[in-house]
Amino acid sequence: MSTPKILILGGGYGGLMTAVRLQKQLNHNEAEVTLVNKHDYHYFTTWLHEPAAGTKDPDKCRVDIASILDTNKIKFVKGTVSEIKREAKQVVLDSGEQLTYDYLVIGLGSEPETFGIQGLKEHAYSIRSINSVREIREHIEYCFAKFKNEHRPELLTFIVGGAGFTGIEFVGELSDRVPELCAEFDIDPSNVKIYNIEAAPTVLPGFDPDLVNYAMDVLGRKGVTFKISTPIKECTPEGVVLADGEEIKSSTVVWTGGVRGNSIIENAGFETMRGRVKVDPYLHAPGHDDVFIVGDGALIINEEINRPYPPTAQIAIQQGENLGDNLVALVRGGSELKPFVPSLKGTVASLGKNEAIGLVGDKKIYGSTAALMKKVIDNRSLFLLGGLPLVMKKVKL
């Protein structure tokens, strides 16, 4: 029998964790494992709101894949996936290279979900990669510098569309950065306006009301203005038009209002909901025993509340652990696979420096306690991916 080929698409939390698990358990030459990623680094998506606001160096939010993977066991290919050919069991890269597989793991991440709002793709920034957050940070600094010469209010009016975790964490960091930027460019802080606009009737939809109220109070005192139950109708080069007709002029619109699965999954012919595939208990794409999906592309229903689990890093890492174990079993001829059961360790949202809210089990945590817990959760993710060396490297930063 030929050596089975396992092809992993995407070096995000789910894909990389799958590779790490295989690396630990498979013997040499037991399987041919290949990881494909468009960058030669993995970046921590849960940290990106910080470099976007300029409170952390973007380079500190990534780690070289080569420092995590043993290339004697896992082959790494730097490339961008352009097509998945299910019937031929092939993946085509934008370079034209074609890779074959016996087992395919799709962890290609997400794309911004615009909900059909006109102009968002063309005129709004999004927090989705190292390069995108560099662009946001540099643009914000440019707006402050330009204001000194032009004094146009829209230059210092910042609109964040969406008040989910990313939106809330970003406005927390941005509000912390404003005093520093005002001091640097000799600008009166009263000139700066930060709007967080959300179509739902509350920020952090689905989160505990007490924690939501605390978050709004903290961010409100930092200068954030919330517009709740207020959909954005259109994004223009001059700002946004709201559903009620109000127009807010701004040179900076950052959209954090939702994500959908990578369009490559849908284009491959898999049945999707907002680009996500409703996987079976073993993370298979329905009807495909050779294809698994992890991370943002996997749709898993929480039966207790009959709603999908949010596509978080915590769940993606757990999926990678589970799938890695199951792939080892398949390679060794086993038929008994372990179903994936999410185990939520806690949910924490940062509100800026030393401020956060969270729910750990049934316990609500606030302020510096929650901020410390967020660091614990982040460090646990680092440990699972790269062991103690990665934790020590990033903690020093």
Side-chain angles (χ1 to χ4, degrees):
M1 181 179 175
S2 61
T3 304
K5 294 182 178 180
I6 301 173
L7 181 58
I8 304 171
L9 307 181
Y13 290 102
L16 186 58
M17 191 68 233
T18 303
V20 167
R21 201 72 168 183
L22 291 171
Q23 174 176 282
K24 287 180 178 178
Q25 297 186 63
L26 287 177
N27 299 317
H28 285 284
N29 302 319
E30 200 172 1
E32 183 181 320
V33 184
T34 302
L35 173 66
V36 179
N37 195 52
K38 67 168 62 175
H39 306 294
D40 55 11
Y41 56 83
H42 164 83
Y43 58 86
F44 308 109
T45 55
T46 56
W47 298 6
L48 289 182
H49 57 283
E50 298 178 66
T55 56
K56 185 189 284 283
D57 185 332
D59 288 334
K60 294 179 180 178
C61 297
R62 68 182 191 178
V63 59
D64 291 339
I65 289 175
S67 70
I68 293 177
L69 295 184
D70 178 355
T71 53
N72 292 317
K73 282 191 172 185
I74 311 288
K75 180 183 178 182
F76 175 68
V77 175
K78 183 180 178 181
T80 301
V81 176
S82 61
E83 184 182 4
I84 297 171
K85 296 182 176 180
R86 295 182 302 163
E87 302 307 321
K89 301 185 78 160
Q90 289 182 337
V91 170
V92 183
L93 306 185
D94 61 357
S95 64
E97 183 179 1
Q98 296 190 0
L99 304 173
T100 60
Y101 63 84
D102 294 301
Y103 299 107
L104 178 66
V105 178
I106 304 175
L108 289 171
S110 62
E111 299 173 354
E113 173 61 89
T114 63
F115 301 104
I117 299 171
Q118 186 177 339
L120 270 184
K121 278 187 177 180
E122 296 79 9
H123 306 302
Y125 295 92
S126 62
I127 299 173
R128 56 190 304 263
S129 68
I130 293 291
N131 290 333
S132 74
V133 298
R134 277 200 185 103
E135 187 178 6
I136 293 170
R137 180 197 64 183
E138 290 170 5
H139 173 76
I140 290 171
E141 292 170 355
Y142 171 76
C143 286
F144 273 82
K146 197 171 185 181
F147 182 83
K148 287 298 293 181
N149 296 323
E150 301 187 12
H151 295 284
R152 290 187 289 118
E154 60 267 29
L155 286 167
L156 296 186
T157 299
F158 301 96
I159 294 174
V160 179
F165 271 71
T166 303
I168 287 296
E169 292 191 320
F170 176 60
V171 295
E173 293 296 320
L174 181 58
S175 60
D176 280 350
R177 182 88 197 283
V178 164
E180 175 189 323
L181 288 168
C182 287
E184 180 179 348
F185 293 97
D186 196 23
I187 292 172
D188 186 336
S190 66
N191 289 302
V192 181
K193 303 288 187 291
I194 301 174
Y195 291 96
N196 190 198
I197 302 174
E198 171 59 52
T202 177
V203 310
L204 297 169
F207 215 53
D208 181 90
D210 291 340
L211 296 173
V212 169
N213 290 336
Y214 180 89
M216 291 183 70
D217 180 59
V218 168
L219 295 174
R221 284 188 273 111
K222 288 186 176 186
V224 178
T225 298
F226 292 97
K227 285 186 171 290
I228 310 303
S229 299
T230 309
I232 293 175
K233 179 182 177 182
E234 182 181 359
C235 182
T236 73
E238 289 76 40
V240 297
V241 179
L242 306 182
D244 60 8
E246 181 185 1
E247 182 175 359
I248 303 176
K249 292 189 178 298
S250 169
S251 298
T252 310
V253 179
V254 179
W255 177 248
T256 69
V259 296
R260 58 182 290 114
N262 194 298
S263 57
I264 289 172
I265 300 175
E266 199 166 7
N267 294 339
F270 295 103
E271 184 177 344
T272 65
M273 299 170 60
R274 285 179 55 188
R276 303 173 71 193
V277 176
K278 188 176 180 181
V279 294
D280 75 5
Y282 308 101
L283 304 176
H284 288 115
H288 295 80
D289 289 344
D290 58 342
V291 179
F292 302 85
I293 302 178
V294 295
D296 292 341
L299 180 65
I300 300 173
I301 301 298
N302 183 338
E303 302 295 345
E304 292 183 7
I305 58 175
N306 197 31
R307 290 181 59 182
Y309 283 99
T312 63
Q314 180 181 170
I315 288 180
I317 288 174
Q318 291 176 14
Q319 289 171 339
E321 291 181 296
N322 171 267
L323 179 53
D325 293 346
N326 282 342
L327 285 169
V328 170
L330 288 170
V331 165
R332 293 174 178 166
S335 58
E336 289 293 323
L337 303 184
K338 296 185 300 183
F340 173 66
V341 181
S343 175
L344 301 183
K345 307 298 183 186
T347 306
V348 181
S350 169
L351 306 175
K353 187 176 181 180
N354 295 324
E355 274 285 4
I357 53 171
L359 197 61
V360 179
D362 295 328
K363 185 177 181 181
K364 304 171 191 178
I365 53 177
Y366 305 82
S368 58
T369 301
L372 179 60
M373 179 56 65
K374 181 169 175 59
K375 290 181 180 178
V376 170
I377 293 171
D378 286 344
N379 289 341
R380 183 175 185 275
S381 297
L382 293 174
F383 180 79
L384 291 172
L385 287 170
L388 191 57
L390 182 57
V391 176
M392 297 304 294
K393 180 179 179 181
K394 292 302 176 182
V395 166
K396 290 178 182 178
L397 300 177

